[in-house]
Amino acid sequence: MKVTVTGGCGFIGSAVVRHLMNRTDHQVLNIDCMTYAASEETLAAVASDPRYRHARISINDQAAVEEALEEFQPDAIMHLAAESHVDRSIDGPDAFIQTNIVGTYCLLDVARRYWLGLEGEKKEGFRFLHISTDEVFGHLSPEDPPFTEETAYDPRSPYSASKAASDHLVRAWYHTYGFPAFVTNTTNNYGPWHFPEKLIPLMIINALEGKPLPVYGKGENLRDWLFVEDHAAALVRAVECGKPGATYAIGARQPRSNLEVVRKICSLLDELEPDSAGPRERLITFVSDRPGHDFRYEIDPSHAERSLDWRAEHDFEAGLRKTVQWYLENRSWWQNLRNQRYDGRRLGVKA
Ligand code: DAU
């Protein structure tokens, strides 16, 4: 199978490309224009494989994408290119509208034209998988049942509103044009190569550098944590056997409060690299809350587990240990990012 992956040098996209290269025979065309959150090192181990190629183009550049698709002749497109950080969407929604909404529209339009030009089995078998988030469902109170594929949309941040709009576009292309698209909505990912603006990598790095660990509000907000390699496995199953028009809600069944997550990071670091100044929990600092902070996300992944014959392999403690070890062993990657792209300062405080 020939698979075009958009955003393949990002955190989840690169896990998908590594999975495709290391665990399947598929060929990959990675369309990634290399924004601040993309990094070529994520794919250094597979980049010289003849089954892999990278086109440094934007999904908004329809002519360039069209040419790349015509040349590569994909059997499927996995669309992961997106602006994804909620705090950045509070400071500057524009990039989120341009990439997540306009970019998804541009890609859908080109992909549909490409698909219309296919014939026979190649046309029948073509798939467009749009990778989205559980944040489109809004947020849960402690008593609510987890999100499912049936949960109504209720996005509450510029980021989640832009992803919700893109999900609606994808479903409209399926219903209106018969375009063989489908959607996955997934909960919080974590693991190697996570850009250090997100909770887990930011806390690991700040703790290693002896800096404050800024917990928003009281740290009671809950997230369901999915190890990124488990997510990549689910997405590859989905592109191989998912049904046009379907939705798959992918989760790990591992809900944890933010404070619990930060405390676990502290204790893992204390075990793996003790700090002579004392236990890292001393660095935990409660700061003002994120504007419009969603309280809880959690997915019931039963439908996806059954339909895709998939289940997350890592529980949170096992995945977090691997993640912390990875950050300890890959300091030059994140030190360069801290020096050149994002120094860790608080984002998203504008209300
Ligand atoms: O649910 C899926 C979503 O998970 C994805 O769609 C998003 O792209 C991804 O960024 C993530 O969104 P969150 O807002 O949950 O992730 P973030 O890492 O920004 O924050 C996780 C929780 O930690 C959230 O409750 C806010 C809190 N937090 C975050 C940061 C960066 C802190 O308490 N302190 C921090 O410094």
Side-chain angles (χ1 to χ4, degrees), residues 30 58 72 106 116 122 124 166 185 187-188 195 210 223 227 259 279 290 308:
N30 171 17
S58 161
F72 183 62
C106 290
L116 282 174
K122 183 112 176 164
E124 276 291 297
S166 67
N185 297 95
T187 190
N188 286 59
F195 191 84
R223 300 290 184 264
F227 192 61
L259 192 54
R290 170 185 279 172
L308 304 176

Side-chain angles (χ1 to χ4, degrees), residues 12 83-87 132-136 147 159-160 163 186-189 194 196-203 206 213-217 219-225 258-259 262 285 287-290 293-295 297 342 344 346-347:
I12 302 175
E83 291 291 334
S84 72
H85 192 42
V86 175
D87 291 330
S132 190
T133 170
D134 61 357
E135 296 198 18
V136 297
F147 302 129
Y159 161 67
S160 53
K163 288 298 285 185
T186 309
T187 190
N188 286 59
N189 280 219
H194 206 179
E197 61 192 353
K198 305 285 168 83
L199 178 74
I200 290 181
L202 182 75
M203 295 296 154
N206 278 11
L213 307 178
V215 173
Y216 298 169
E220 290 170 343
N221 303 60
L222 288 145
R223 300 290 184 264
D224 173 12
W225 291 99
N258 291 342
L259 192 54
V262 177
T285 309
V287 298
S288 64
D289 214 348
R290 170 185 279 172
H293 196 176
D294 288 342
F295 182 69
Y297 309 136
Y342 172 58
R346 175 95 193 254
L347 301 167

